[in-house]
Amino acid sequence: MGWLKRGAERLRRGARSARAGSVDDAVTRHLTEFVQNRRGVEAFVEPQTSVTQTSLLLVAYDGEWTRRTIPTPQWGHAFAEHLEIPGYDAAVVGYPQRMRDYNTRMKKRPPA
């Protein structure tokens, strides 16, 4: 999977040039695997607030989601573009209803 390593390295280099912080390899790997192992994934870049850092939320077609901190919004959009998935600004478009539905389904599940 040389293309994956090269792409991840390009993303990390871009993040470093945009800001001193960089994305941990484990974070990049987790986000990439989430996209590769699920259908219909969309990326939502969440802006930094007084309480949270900039983050990337990935939501699959069934509403399953994952969120990780990223250095800049530009890094999040570059990540989505690199993996050829739709990328949105969460502050502009909001969150998809399927994500809320997924959370509701998970709360109703009996404990394992």
Side-chain angles (χ1 to χ4, degrees):
M1 287 225 216
W3 67 270
L4 180 60
K5 289 181 182 177
R6 286 190 303 273
E9 181 57 32
R10 257 183 274 139
L11 286 171
R12 283 192 297 278
R13 277 197 311 264
R16 275 190 220 113
S17 66
R19 185 172 155 188
S22 66
V23 176
D24 185 18
D25 288 340
V27 170
T28 303
R29 191 174 326 108
H30 170 77
L31 294 171
T32 302
E33 288 175 1
F34 187 88
V35 171
Q36 291 174 337
N37 295 323
R38 287 155 184 85
R39 293 185 294 139
V41 177
E42 296 177 316
F44 295 85
V45 178
E46 301 173 312
Q48 181 177 359
T49 67
S50 59
V51 181
T52 63
Q53 295 180 356
T54 304
S55 57
L56 183 64
L57 174 73
L58 299 177
V59 183
Y61 82 100
D62 64 350
E64 183 180 2
W65 59 274
T66 189
R67 174 184 286 126
R68 294 295 185 270
T69 300
I70 58 174
T72 64
Q74 292 81 11
W75 189 95
H77 289 292
F79 178 84
E81 185 177 324
H82 172 71
L83 293 179
E84 299 177 351
I85 61 173
Y88 307 104
D89 287 318
V92 175
V93 300
Y95 299 106
Q97 181 63 44
R98 68 181 183 276
M99 180 181 153
R100 292 188 286 277
D101 295 342
Y102 178 84
N103 289 339
T104 302
R105 284 193 312 270
M106 292 300 110
K107 286 180 184 177
K108 291 180 179 179
R109 281 178 61 179

